[in-house]
């Protein structure tokens, strides 16, 4: 099996994106996690236009320059906004359905590529990882592999813009004390599984990371992290560059 392809029968988000694109509406995109109650992703939000985007995302799009990689591009909302701004962008996603929709929506360079694929070796000036973009890293133990890949993909002087939330608020007591088990796994390591209609996806790891932890790992692997902007609720946009 080609692990770099997310096939339609295992791709609930791709199915939701394809439905919404085709009909202008979608059923519930359900999200399950062993750590949380069942939740749902509003599919229309995956099609957000520039003015509906959170300020952190707008900021990242403004800062993006040169040859841009939109990593885990979904419906292509950021890639389309960048094209409108006259910027040059390649949008990659592991989902065959999403890439098909991006192409139909007018994303000029949409490709079905796994970020971590060894054969994906082009150079970019800006790499965007948006909508809790750190998620694609999966777990803290993958940080070494992630930064090695970034070194391979970035032009000298290139930058990564990544957003995330610090999940500490989920574990904070009213008096400000923490309920985090310090001996346990990092509190931002979450497992998810999605379902759309009858399409059930496999479980996957998704990393939420606080800025201090991101900075520590960045430094360990030869990168510098800068806090570009803080959001309204424990979220932030970071810029990472090679030292
Ligand atoms: N950036 C989009 C979509 C976010 S959802 C938005 O903001 O709306 C995350 C996307 O990342 C999904 O479309 C998923 O298929 C894709 N993805 C997950 N792991 C990936 C990987 N290793 N390489 C490329 N894309 C990946």
């Amino acid at each position: 099996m080609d692990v770099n392809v997310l096939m339609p029968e295992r791709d609930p988000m791709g199915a939701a994106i394809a439905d919404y694109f085709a009909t202008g509406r979608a059923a519930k995109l359900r999200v399950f996690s062993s750590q949380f109650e069942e939740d749902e992703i509003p599919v229309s939000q995956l099609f957000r236009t520039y003015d509906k985007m959170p300020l952190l995302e707008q900021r990242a799009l403004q800062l993006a320059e040169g040859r841009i990689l939109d990593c885990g591009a979904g419906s292509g909302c950021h890639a389309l906004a960048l094209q409108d701004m006259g910027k040059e962008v390649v949008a990659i996603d592991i989902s065959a359905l999403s890439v098909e929709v991006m192409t139909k929506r007018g994303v000029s360079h949409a490709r079905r590529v796994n970020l971590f694929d060894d054969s994906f070796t082009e150079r970019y000036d800006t790499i965007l990882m948006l909508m809790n973009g750190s998620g694609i890293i999966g777990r803290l133990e993958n940080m070494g592999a992630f930064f090695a890949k970034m070194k391979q993909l970035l032009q000298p002087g290139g930058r990564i813009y990544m957003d995330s939330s610090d999940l500490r608020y989920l574990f904070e007591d009213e008096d400000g004390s923490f309920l985090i088990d310090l001996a346990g796994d990092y509190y931002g390591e979450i497992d998810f599984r999605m379902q759309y209609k009858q399409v059930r996806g496999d479980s996957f790891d998704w990393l939420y990371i606080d800025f201090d932890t991101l900075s520590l790992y960045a430094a360990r692997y030869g990168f510098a992290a800068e806090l570009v902007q803080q959001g309204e609720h424990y979220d932030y946009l970071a810029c990472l560059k090679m030292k």
Side-chain angles (χ1 to χ4, degrees):
M1 196 185 91
D2 182 352
V3 292
N4 290 320
V5 193
L6 191 51
M7 292 312 287
E9 58 273 17
R10 280 264 181 277
D11 182 11
M13 185 185 269
I17 285 176
D19 250 9
Y20 191 89
F21 173 68
T23 66
R25 43 185 309 191
K28 250 190 191 187
L29 178 55
R30 301 165 71 188
V31 181
F32 307 92
S33 167
S34 69
Q35 291 121 313
F36 302 124
E37 301 281 296
E38 181 179 339
D39 201 356
E40 84 180 87
I41 298 178
V43 181
S44 62
Q45 278 182 21
L46 297 172
F47 285 77
R48 62 201 178 280
T49 51
Y50 182 85
D51 33 288
K52 297 275 165 55
M53 287 173 190
L55 293 176
L56 295 183
E57 293 184 4
Q58 294 183 349
R59 183 80 184 272
L61 297 185
Q62 280 159 16
L63 291 167
E65 58 181 31
R67 190 155 187 262
I68 304 163
L69 178 69
D70 181 4
C71 197
S75 83
C77 55
H78 299 113
L80 288 169
L82 289 163
Q83 286 182 184
D84 282 348
M85 295 161 89
K87 299 187 181 189
E88 185 193 343
V89 57
V90 172
I92 62 165
D93 203 289
I94 198 177
S95 157
L97 286 169
S98 294
V99 170
E100 197 182 316
V101 168
M102 280 197 263
T103 303
K104 288 182 179 159
R105 294 184 78 204
V107 175
S108 308
H109 306 285
R111 294 199 222 140
R112 191 186 44 64
V113 170
N114 186 326
L115 173 68
F116 296 101
D117 188 340
D118 289 335
S119 63
F120 181 55
T121 56
E122 297 157 8
R123 297 270 175 181
Y124 295 91
D125 301 295
T126 303
I127 297 180
L128 293 179
M129 302 182 68
L130 298 178
M131 191 173 159
N132 208 87
S134 60
I136 288 180
I137 302 166
R139 299 181 68 87
L140 286 181
E141 69 189 36
N142 300 334
M143 278 295 187
F146 168 71
F147 281 112
K149 189 69 205 178
M150 291 297 110
K151 274 186 189 156
Q152 211 183 9
L153 294 177
L154 279 174
Q155 293 280 17
R159 291 174 157 81
I160 305 161
Y161 292 102
M162 174 195 286
D163 65 352
S164 188
S165 290
D166 179 354
L167 293 191
R168 63 185 292 159
Y169 64 88
L170 294 173
F171 307 96
E172 227 164 19
D173 224 346
E174 278 163 21
D175 64 1
S177 64
F178 277 101
L179 303 169
I180 294 167
D181 173 9
L182 292 174
D185 290 338
Y186 173 61
Y187 63 85
E189 292 180 330
I190 306 296
D191 63 84
F192 284 124
R193 197 172 62 69
M194 293 192 279
Q195 180 170 348
Y196 181 75
K197 293 181 176 169
Q198 298 311 311
V199 184
R200 289 155 156 273
D202 294 326
S203 172
F204 59 93
D205 296 321
W206 198 250
L207 179 68
Y208 293 78
I209 191 166
D210 66 279
F211 180 72
D212 288 344
T213 304
L214 177 64
S215 303
L216 285 171
Y217 277 90
R220 183 189 292 178
Y221 294 110
F223 280 73
E226 181 198 322
L227 185 63
V228 178
Q229 191 172 321
Q230 262 169 319
E232 285 170 2
H233 194 254
Y234 294 86
D235 50 336
Y236 67 91
L237 177 69
C239 174
L240 298 155
K241 40 190 165 178
M242 266 183 276
K243 283 207 273 210

